[in-house]
PDB file of all heavy atoms in Angstrom:
ATOM      1  N   VAL A 636      29.402  35.876  17.859  1.00 61.00           N
ATOM      2  CA  VAL A 636      28.644  34.964  18.701  1.00 61.00           C
ATOM      3  C   VAL A 636      27.523  35.746  19.362  1.00 61.00           C
ATOM      4  O   VAL A 636      27.746  36.794  19.953  1.00 61.00           O
ATOM      5  CB  VAL A 636      29.542  34.322  19.782  1.00 61.00           C
ATOM      6  CG1 VAL A 636      28.737  33.409  20.672  1.00 61.00           C
ATOM      7  CG2 VAL A 636      30.679  33.561  19.142  1.00 61.00           C
ATOM      8  N   ASP A 637      26.304  35.244  19.252  1.00 65.00           N
ATOM      9  CA  ASP A 637      25.175  35.811  19.971  1.00 65.00           C
ATOM     10  C   ASP A 637      24.375  34.656  20.565  1.00 65.00           C
ATOM     11  O   ASP A 637      24.803  33.508  20.509  1.00 65.00           O
ATOM     12  CB  ASP A 637      24.316  36.712  19.072  1.00 65.00           C
ATOM     13  CG  ASP A 637      23.689  35.974  17.904  1.00 65.00           C
ATOM     14  OD1 ASP A 637      23.566  34.738  17.950  1.00 65.00           O
ATOM     15  OD2 ASP A 637      23.301  36.639  16.938  1.00 65.00           O
ATOM     16  N   GLU A 638      23.225  34.941  21.141  1.00 65.00           N
ATOM     17  CA  GLU A 638      22.465  33.890  21.809  1.00 65.00           C
ATOM     18  C   GLU A 638      21.978  32.798  20.857  1.00 65.00           C
ATOM     19  O   GLU A 638      21.638  31.702  21.288  1.00 65.00           O
ATOM     20  CB  GLU A 638      21.281  34.476  22.587  1.00 65.00           C
ATOM     21  CG  GLU A 638      20.221  35.133  21.725  1.00 65.00           C
ATOM     22  CD  GLU A 638      20.453  36.612  21.456  1.00 65.00           C
ATOM     23  OE1 GLU A 638      21.569  37.096  21.660  1.00 65.00           O
ATOM     24  OE2 GLU A 638      19.504  37.267  21.029  1.00 65.00           O
ATOM     25  N   PHE A 639      21.966  33.056  19.557  1.00 63.00           N
ATOM     26  CA  PHE A 639      21.516  32.067  18.584  1.00 63.00           C
ATOM     27  C   PHE A 639      22.659  31.235  18.002  1.00 63.00           C
ATOM     28  O   PHE A 639      22.429  30.172  17.440  1.00 63.00           O
ATOM     29  CB  PHE A 639      20.763  32.745  17.438  1.00 63.00           C
ATOM     30  CG  PHE A 639      19.556  33.500  17.907  1.00 63.00           C
ATOM     31  CD1 PHE A 639      19.544  34.877  17.886  1.00 63.00           C
ATOM     32  CD2 PHE A 639      18.445  32.831  18.391  1.00 63.00           C
ATOM     33  CE1 PHE A 639      18.436  35.583  18.329  1.00 63.00           C
ATOM     34  CE2 PHE A 639      17.337  33.524  18.840  1.00 63.00           C
ATOM     35  CZ  PHE A 639      17.332  34.905  18.813  1.00 63.00           C
ATOM     36  N   THR A 640      23.888  31.719  18.103  1.00 67.00           N
ATOM     37  CA  THR A 640      25.011  31.027  17.474  1.00 67.00           C
ATOM     38  C   THR A 640      26.117  30.667  18.455  1.00 67.00           C
ATOM     39  O   THR A 640      27.204  30.310  18.037  1.00 67.00           O
ATOM     40  CB  THR A 640      25.609  31.892  16.348  1.00 67.00           C
ATOM     41  OG1 THR A 640      26.068  33.124  16.911  1.00 67.00           O
ATOM     42  CG2 THR A 640      24.601  32.168  15.262  1.00 67.00           C
ATOM     43  N   ALA A 641      25.848  30.756  19.741  1.00 75.00           N
ATOM     44  CA  ALA A 641      26.860  30.446  20.744  1.00 75.00           C
ATOM     45  C   ALA A 641      27.190  28.955  20.719  1.00 75.00           C
ATOM     46  O   ALA A 641      26.326  28.118  20.457  1.00 75.00           O
ATOM     47  CB  ALA A 641      26.359  30.834  22.128  1.00 75.00           C
ATOM     48  N   PRO A 642      28.447  28.607  20.980  1.00 78.00           N
ATOM     49  CA  PRO A 642      28.822  27.193  21.031  1.00 78.00           C
ATOM     50  C   PRO A 642      28.085  26.477  22.160  1.00 78.00           C
ATOM     51  O   PRO A 642      27.753  27.064  23.182  1.00 78.00           O
ATOM     52  CB  PRO A 642      30.321  27.230  21.324  1.00 78.00           C
ATOM     53  CG  PRO A 642      30.760  28.605  20.986  1.00 78.00           C
ATOM     54  CD  PRO A 642      29.578  29.490  21.178  1.00 78.00           C
ATOM     55  N   SER A 643      27.833  25.202  21.966  1.00 81.00           N
ATOM     56  CA  SER A 643      27.167  24.388  22.977  1.00 81.00           C
ATOM     57  C   SER A 643      28.084  24.192  24.174  1.00 81.00           C
ATOM     58  O   SER A 643      29.300  24.083  24.042  1.00 81.00           O
ATOM     59  CB  SER A 643      26.804  23.032  22.379  1.00 81.00           C
ATOM     60  OG  SER A 643      26.300  22.176  23.386  1.00 81.00           O
ATOM     61  N   ALA A 644      27.495  24.098  25.339  1.00 85.00           N
ATOM     62  CA  ALA A 644      28.253  23.817  26.551  1.00 85.00           C
ATOM     63  C   ALA A 644      28.605  22.332  26.645  1.00 85.00           C
ATOM     64  O   ALA A 644      29.457  21.950  27.431  1.00 85.00           O
ATOM     65  CB  ALA A 644      27.443  24.243  27.774  1.00 85.00           C
ATOM     66  N   VAL A 645      27.946  21.502  25.847  1.00 87.00           N
ATOM     67  CA  VAL A 645      28.184  20.055  25.853  1.00 87.00           C
ATOM     68  C   VAL A 645      29.293  19.722  24.862  1.00 87.00           C
ATOM     69  O   VAL A 645      29.268  20.167  23.719  1.00 87.00           O
ATOM     70  CB  VAL A 645      26.896  19.290  25.477  1.00 87.00           C
ATOM     71  CG1 VAL A 645      27.146  17.797  25.468  1.00 87.00           C
ATOM     72  CG2 VAL A 645      25.768  19.650  26.421  1.00 87.00           C
ATOM     73  N   GLU A 646      30.268  18.924  25.296  1.00 92.00           N
ATOM     74  CA  GLU A 646      31.367  18.502  24.425  1.00 92.00           C
ATOM     75  C   GLU A 646      30.818  17.630  23.303  1.00 92.00           C
ATOM     76  O   GLU A 646      29.947  16.787  23.522  1.00 92.00           O
ATOM     77  CB  GLU A 646      32.399  17.743  25.278  1.00 92.00           C
ATOM     78  CG  GLU A 646      33.710  17.510  24.602  1.00 92.00           C
ATOM     79  CD  GLU A 646      33.758  16.167  23.905  1.00 92.00           C
ATOM     80  OE1 GLU A 646      33.193  15.206  24.422  1.00 92.00           O
ATOM     81  OE2 GLU A 646      34.361  16.109  22.833  1.00 92.00           O
ATOM     82  N   ALA A 647      31.278  17.838  22.078  1.00 92.00           N
ATOM     83  CA  ALA A 647      30.721  17.170  20.892  1.00 92.00           C
ATOM     84  C   ALA A 647      30.792  15.644  20.983  1.00 92.00           C
ATOM     85  O   ALA A 647      29.850  14.946  20.602  1.00 92.00           O
ATOM     86  CB  ALA A 647      31.445  17.654  19.638  1.00 92.00           C
ATOM     87  N   GLY A 648      31.890  15.113  21.489  1.00 95.00           N
ATOM     88  CA  GLY A 648      32.019  13.661  21.623  1.00 95.00           C
ATOM     89  C   GLY A 648      31.010  13.089  22.603  1.00 95.00           C
ATOM     90  O   GLY A 648      30.440  12.018  22.382  1.00 95.00           O
ATOM     91  N   GLU A 649      30.779  13.805  23.707  1.00 95.00           N
ATOM     92  CA  GLU A 649      29.791  13.357  24.701  1.00 95.00           C
ATOM     93  C   GLU A 649      28.388  13.357  24.106  1.00 95.00           C
ATOM     94  O   GLU A 649      27.603  12.437  24.329  1.00 95.00           O
ATOM     95  CB  GLU A 649      29.850  14.258  25.931  1.00 95.00           C
ATOM     96  CG  GLU A 649      28.969  13.825  27.067  1.00 95.00           C
ATOM     97  CD  GLU A 649      29.347  12.479  27.654  1.00 95.00           C
ATOM     98  OE1 GLU A 649      30.526  12.090  27.590  1.00 95.00           O
ATOM     99  OE2 GLU A 649      28.448  11.800  28.173  1.00 95.00           O
ATOM    100  N   LEU A 650      28.074  14.383  23.335  1.00 92.00           N
ATOM    101  CA  LEU A 650      26.773  14.439  22.676  1.00 92.00           C
ATOM    102  C   LEU A 650      26.616  13.294  21.671  1.00 92.00           C
ATOM    103  O   LEU A 650      25.562  12.662  21.602  1.00 92.00           O
ATOM    104  CB  LEU A 650      26.585  15.790  21.964  1.00 92.00           C
ATOM    105  CG  LEU A 650      25.252  16.010  21.277  1.00 92.00           C
ATOM    106  CD1 LEU A 650      24.091  15.881  22.249  1.00 92.00           C
ATOM    107  CD2 LEU A 650      25.230  17.361  20.601  1.00 92.00           C
ATOM    108  N   ALA A 651      27.665  12.984  20.925  1.00 94.00           N
ATOM    109  CA  ALA A 651      27.617  11.885  19.956  1.00 94.00           C
ATOM    110  C   ALA A 651      27.403  10.551  20.668  1.00 94.00           C
ATOM    111  O   ALA A 651      26.630   9.705  20.205  1.00 94.00           O
ATOM    112  CB  ALA A 651      28.903  11.851  19.129  1.00 94.00           C
ATOM    113  N   ARG A 652      28.071  10.354  21.806  1.00 96.00           N
ATOM    114  CA  ARG A 652      27.888   9.117  22.576  1.00 96.00           C
ATOM    115  C   ARG A 652      26.461   9.011  23.109  1.00 96.00           C
ATOM    116  O   ARG A 652      25.852   7.938  23.088  1.00 96.00           O
ATOM    117  CB  ARG A 652      28.899   9.046  23.717  1.00 96.00           C
ATOM    118  CG  ARG A 652      30.310   8.722  23.245  1.00 96.00           C
ATOM    119  CD  ARG A 652      31.259   8.495  24.410  1.00 96.00           C
ATOM    120  NE  ARG A 652      31.581   9.740  25.116  1.00 96.00           N
ATOM    121  CZ  ARG A 652      32.504  10.618  24.718  1.00 96.00           C
ATOM    122  NH1 ARG A 652      33.179  10.410  23.602  1.00 96.00           N
ATOM    123  NH2 ARG A 652      32.745  11.706  25.425  1.00 96.00           N
ATOM    124  N   LEU A 653      25.911  10.130  23.580  1.00 94.00           N
ATOM    125  CA  LEU A 653      24.534  10.132  24.075  1.00 94.00           C
ATOM    126  C   LEU A 653      23.557   9.799  22.958  1.00 94.00           C
ATOM    127  O   LEU A 653      22.649   8.987  23.135  1.00 94.00           O
ATOM    128  CB  LEU A 653      24.194  11.490  24.694  1.00 94.00           C
ATOM    129  CG  LEU A 653      22.746  11.670  25.152  1.00 94.00           C
ATOM    130  CD1 LEU A 653      22.401  10.665  26.245  1.00 94.00           C
ATOM    131  CD2 LEU A 653      22.513  13.095  25.617  1.00 94.00           C
ATOM    132  N   GLU A 654      23.744  10.420  21.788  1.00 92.00           N
ATOM    133  CA  GLU A 654      22.856  10.130  20.662  1.00 92.00           C
ATOM    134  C   GLU A 654      22.951   8.667  20.240  1.00 92.00           C
ATOM    135  O   GLU A 654      21.942   8.031  19.961  1.00 92.00           O
ATOM    136  CB  GLU A 654      23.180  11.048  19.481  1.00 92.00           C
ATOM    137  CG  GLU A 654      22.754  12.474  19.710  1.00 92.00           C
ATOM    138  CD  GLU A 654      23.118  13.383  18.542  1.00 92.00           C
ATOM    139  OE1 GLU A 654      23.990  13.008  17.723  1.00 92.00           O
ATOM    140  OE2 GLU A 654      22.535  14.461  18.458  1.00 92.00           O
ATOM    141  N   ALA A 655      24.160   8.106  20.201  1.00 94.00           N
ATOM    142  CA  ALA A 655      24.334   6.699  19.841  1.00 94.00           C
ATOM    143  C   ALA A 655      23.631   5.801  20.854  1.00 94.00           C
ATOM    144  O   ALA A 655      22.985   4.812  20.485  1.00 94.00           O
ATOM    145  CB  ALA A 655      25.816   6.356  19.749  1.00 94.00           C
ATOM    146  N   PHE A 656      23.747   6.131  22.131  1.00 96.00           N
ATOM    147  CA  PHE A 656      23.082   5.364  23.179  1.00 96.00           C
ATOM    148  C   PHE A 656      21.564   5.401  22.992  1.00 96.00           C
ATOM    149  O   PHE A 656      20.890   4.377  23.048  1.00 96.00           O
ATOM    150  CB  PHE A 656      23.469   5.918  24.556  1.00 96.00           C
ATOM    151  CG  PHE A 656      22.692   5.324  25.684  1.00 96.00           C
ATOM    152  CD1 PHE A 656      22.982   4.043  26.141  1.00 96.00           C
ATOM    153  CD2 PHE A 656      21.670   6.035  26.287  1.00 96.00           C
ATOM    154  CE1 PHE A 656      22.258   3.485  27.183  1.00 96.00           C
ATOM    155  CE2 PHE A 656      20.944   5.486  27.325  1.00 96.00           C
ATOM    156  CZ  PHE A 656      21.239   4.211  27.779  1.00 96.00           C
ATOM    157  N   ILE A 657      21.025   6.596  22.772  1.00 93.00           N
ATOM    158  CA  ILE A 657      19.572   6.743  22.611  1.00 93.00           C
ATOM    159  C   ILE A 657      19.093   6.003  21.371  1.00 93.00           C
ATOM    160  O   ILE A 657      18.089   5.282  21.425  1.00 93.00           O
ATOM    161  CB  ILE A 657      19.186   8.234  22.561  1.00 93.00           C
ATOM    162  CG1 ILE A 657      19.414   8.868  23.938  1.00 93.00           C
ATOM    163  CG2 ILE A 657      17.739   8.410  22.112  1.00 93.00           C
ATOM    164  CD1 ILE A 657      19.282  10.366  23.958  1.00 93.00           C
ATOM    165  N   TYR A 658      19.792   6.169  20.233  1.00 92.00           N
ATOM    166  CA  TYR A 658      19.385   5.461  19.024  1.00 92.00           C
ATOM    167  C   TYR A 658      19.442   3.949  19.221  1.00 92.00           C
ATOM    168  O   TYR A 658      18.597   3.211  18.717  1.00 92.00           O
ATOM    169  CB  TYR A 658      20.235   5.869  17.823  1.00 92.00           C
ATOM    170  CG  TYR A 658      19.818   7.194  17.227  1.00 92.00           C
ATOM    171  CD1 TYR A 658      20.717   8.235  17.102  1.00 92.00           C
ATOM    172  CD2 TYR A 658      18.523   7.394  16.781  1.00 92.00           C
ATOM    173  CE1 TYR A 658      20.345   9.452  16.561  1.00 92.00           C
ATOM    174  CE2 TYR A 658      18.135   8.601  16.242  1.00 92.00           C
ATOM    175  CZ  TYR A 658      19.045   9.624  16.138  1.00 92.00           C
ATOM    176  OH  TYR A 658      18.667  10.823  15.603  1.00 92.00           O
ATOM    177  N   GLY A 659      20.428   3.460  19.972  1.00 94.00           N
ATOM    178  CA  GLY A 659      20.510   2.033  20.264  1.00 94.00           C
ATOM    179  C   GLY A 659      19.334   1.558  21.085  1.00 94.00           C
ATOM    180  O   GLY A 659      18.772   0.478  20.829  1.00 94.00           O
ATOM    181  N   ARG A 660      18.930   2.341  22.072  1.00 95.00           N
ATOM    182  CA  ARG A 660      17.792   1.968  22.925  1.00 95.00           C
ATOM    183  C   ARG A 660      16.485   1.955  22.159  1.00 95.00           C
ATOM    184  O   ARG A 660      15.684   1.036  22.305  1.00 95.00           O
ATOM    185  CB  ARG A 660      17.681   2.934  24.107  1.00 95.00           C
ATOM    186  CG  ARG A 660      18.813   2.874  25.107  1.00 95.00           C
ATOM    187  CD  ARG A 660      18.847   1.577  25.902  1.00 95.00           C
ATOM    188  NE  ARG A 660      17.670   1.359  26.704  1.00 95.00           N
ATOM    189  CZ  ARG A 660      17.572   1.592  27.996  1.00 95.00           C
ATOM    190  NH1 ARG A 660      18.611   2.064  28.652  1.00 95.00           N
ATOM    191  NH2 ARG A 660      16.451   1.362  28.634  1.00 95.00           N
ATOM    192  N   VAL A 661      16.252   2.979  21.321  1.00 93.00           N
ATOM    193  CA  VAL A 661      14.981   3.016  20.589  1.00 93.00           C
ATOM    194  C   VAL A 661      14.965   1.998  19.462  1.00 93.00           C
ATOM    195  O   VAL A 661      13.907   1.466  19.127  1.00 93.00           O
ATOM    196  CB  VAL A 661      14.636   4.434  20.076  1.00 93.00           C
ATOM    197  CG1 VAL A 661      14.469   5.401  21.224  1.00 93.00           C
ATOM    198  CG2 VAL A 661      15.632   4.943  19.081  1.00 93.00           C
ATOM    199  N   ALA A 662      16.130   1.659  18.885  1.00 94.00           N
ATOM    200  CA  ALA A 662      16.199   0.634  17.846  1.00 94.00           C
ATOM    201  C   ALA A 662      15.800  -0.721  18.417  1.00 94.00           C
ATOM    202  O   ALA A 662      15.145  -1.523  17.739  1.00 94.00           O
ATOM    203  CB  ALA A 662      17.596   0.566  17.238  1.00 94.00           C
ATOM    204  N   ALA A 663      16.147  -0.964  19.668  1.00 95.00           N
ATOM    205  CA  ALA A 663      15.765  -2.215  20.320  1.00 95.00           C
ATOM    206  C   ALA A 663      14.261  -2.326  20.489  1.00 95.00           C
ATOM    207  O   ALA A 663      13.726  -3.431  20.607  1.00 95.00           O
ATOM    208  CB  ALA A 663      16.463  -2.308  21.685  1.00 95.00           C
ATOM    209  N   GLN A 664      13.565  -1.202  20.460  1.00 95.00           N
ATOM    210  CA  GLN A 664      12.106  -1.181  20.572  1.00 95.00           C
ATOM    211  C   GLN A 664      11.418  -1.162  19.207  1.00 95.00           C
ATOM    212  O   GLN A 664      10.201  -1.030  19.125  1.00 95.00           O
ATOM    213  CB  GLN A 664      11.656   0.036  21.383  1.00 95.00           C
ATOM    214  CG  GLN A 664      12.213   0.067  22.783  1.00 95.00           C
ATOM    215  CD  GLN A 664      11.729  -1.102  23.620  1.00 95.00           C
ATOM    216  OE1 GLN A 664      10.563  -1.461  23.571  1.00 95.00           O
ATOM    217  NE2 GLN A 664      12.636  -1.697  24.365  1.00 95.00           N
TER     218      GLN A 664
END
Side-chain angles (χ1 to χ4, degrees):
V636 178
D637 62 21
E638 65 271 17
F639 300 109
T640 60
S643 173
V645 179
E646 193 267 324
E649 185 64 28
L650 182 58
R652 286 187 288 278
L653 175 62
E654 288 178 342
F656 172 76
I657 291 171
Y658 281 123
R660 293 292 298 260
V661 298
Q664 300 296 318

